[in-house]
Amino acid sequence: MPNASDPPRTDDVSGQPRPLAAGGRPLTAGVAMLATAVAVVSVLVGGLLAAVALTGHVFGAWRSPESLTPGLIGAAMLGTAPGLFAVSRARAWHEVRSLVHPLAVVLVGLFTVSLLNAGQLYIARGGSIVPVLFSLGWLFVLGALCVCALIALALQYLTSGRPLGPRGAPLPGWSKPALAVLGSAWLGIGTGLLVRPGFWADFVPWSVDRPDAQALGVWALALGVGVLGALAEDDLGRTGPALIALPGTAVAVTVVLACRAAAVDWSSGPALCLVSMVAGLLLAGLSGRVLLARSSAV
């Protein structure tokens, strides 16, 4: 249990006091540095991909049949960046693992997808100098970050810690079924796109090829891991950075979908499901922030 002399913990964003979760592993410098580095890369690369997609042009590490897919990948990178920046302000591993685990999924997944589809990269197929250099940088940076993520996580789990204390702000019971459905939906769709892209690509309501389908699957899988991870934590105080990343991702994805709405078959069932799932991310993140603020004020 925390001592009376312990300083009150503050919320990563608002600065308002919130319950102190005792025990656990301290956050290592490696994880904090990894999250910050990925956040910087996400702002630069994600911003570029999203901005180019909004103009209707196709740009990425491989040739995509539609600009919407690289735009959504860039939007997801941009949306998660604020949450990743917040990781460095945490002191304990259990406060950030609901976001760092999905981060590892994205890094390892996108690097693996890029290797599996190496023949589709501009560096292999050729083209103008800009996309060729971008694909080379994409592969190199992803590989370096992937290795750093695995090392940082291994060192984090080798760090000794104390048993966690009681949860300070448990999730309300009414939210758990909705989070389970939302997380399972993202997880299931992401797994399908990764394992059987040829089949599941037909359920994407715009034109995609194999690399597009698998890259989207990586992000869907990571979102599912994040939502279900937050559900497993069952403590709003342990999901601060994730509660920033969820609505940020939903808003960024919504902007790209709205600007490239003509490319989407909105009359299809998958389009309706996508809208519901993106709205679920937004509601989960915003309601989590509100509930956390209320629990801190008590």
Side-chain angles (χ1 to χ4, degrees):
M1 296 295 291
N3 297 324
S5 59
D6 287 341
R9 294 304 306 275
T10 58
D11 182 84
D12 291 331
V13 179
S14 64
Q16 297 300 316
R18 62 178 174 81
L20 174 62
R25 292 184 175 92
L27 183 67
T28 61
V31 171
M33 292 173 63
L34 172 70
T36 302
V38 175
V40 172
V41 172
S42 296
V43 170
L44 298 176
V45 178
L48 175 63
L49 292 175
V52 174
L54 292 180
T55 66
H57 294 86
V58 179
F59 181 74
W62 55 82
R63 289 186 175 94
S64 297
E66 168 59 50
S67 64
L68 183 56
T69 296
L72 290 177
I73 293 173
M77 296 171 71
L78 273 178
T80 56
L84 293 174
F85 279 121
V87 169
S88 62
R89 298 196 293 270
R91 292 193 302 180
W93 166 239
H94 59 266
E95 297 177 346
V96 302
R97 59 190 177 192
S98 59
L99 181 59
V100 176
H101 285 149
L103 170 62
V105 171
V106 169
L107 294 176
V108 175
L110 285 181
F111 183 60
T112 303
V113 166
S114 299
L115 291 180
L116 291 175
N117 298 280
Q120 301 295 320
L121 298 179
Y122 279 105
I123 191 175
R125 300 186 61 176
S128 60
I129 187 65
V130 174
V132 169
L133 290 178
F134 180 83
S135 66
L136 177 61
W138 172 272
L139 199 60
F140 176 79
V141 172
L142 265 181
L145 291 175
C146 181
V147 172
C148 291
L150 295 176
I151 294 174
L153 284 175
L155 293 176
Q156 177 65 70
Y157 277 105
L158 289 174
T159 304
S160 59
R162 296 177 297 165
L164 283 174
R167 291 174 170 83
L171 296 174
W174 55 263
S175 69
K176 295 179 181 180
L179 288 176
V181 171
L182 179 65
S184 298
W186 282 109
L187 189 72
I189 290 175
T191 302
L193 288 170
L194 274 173
V195 176
R196 296 193 61 190
F199 175 79
W200 284 91
D202 293 337
F203 292 93
V204 179
W206 62 87
S207 298
V208 295
D209 55 13
R210 181 184 178 88
D212 284 348
Q214 290 188 315
L216 291 173
V218 168
W219 274 103
L221 183 64
L223 289 170
V225 170
V227 173
L228 294 178
L231 180 62
E233 294 288 355
D234 194 16
D235 190 340
L236 293 168
R238 302 180 188 176
T239 59
L243 290 178
I244 301 174
L246 282 182
T249 301
V251 170
V253 166
T254 299
V255 170
V256 173
L257 284 173
C259 292
R260 301 297 305 153
V264 182
D265 181 11
W266 294 108
S267 62
S268 64
L272 179 60
C273 292
L274 176 63
V275 171
S276 301
M277 291 163 63
V278 172
L281 294 179
L282 180 62
L283 292 175
L286 293 180
S287 61
R289 299 301 306 171
V290 172
L291 292 172
L292 180 60
R294 288 180 178 177
S295 66
S296 301
V298 176

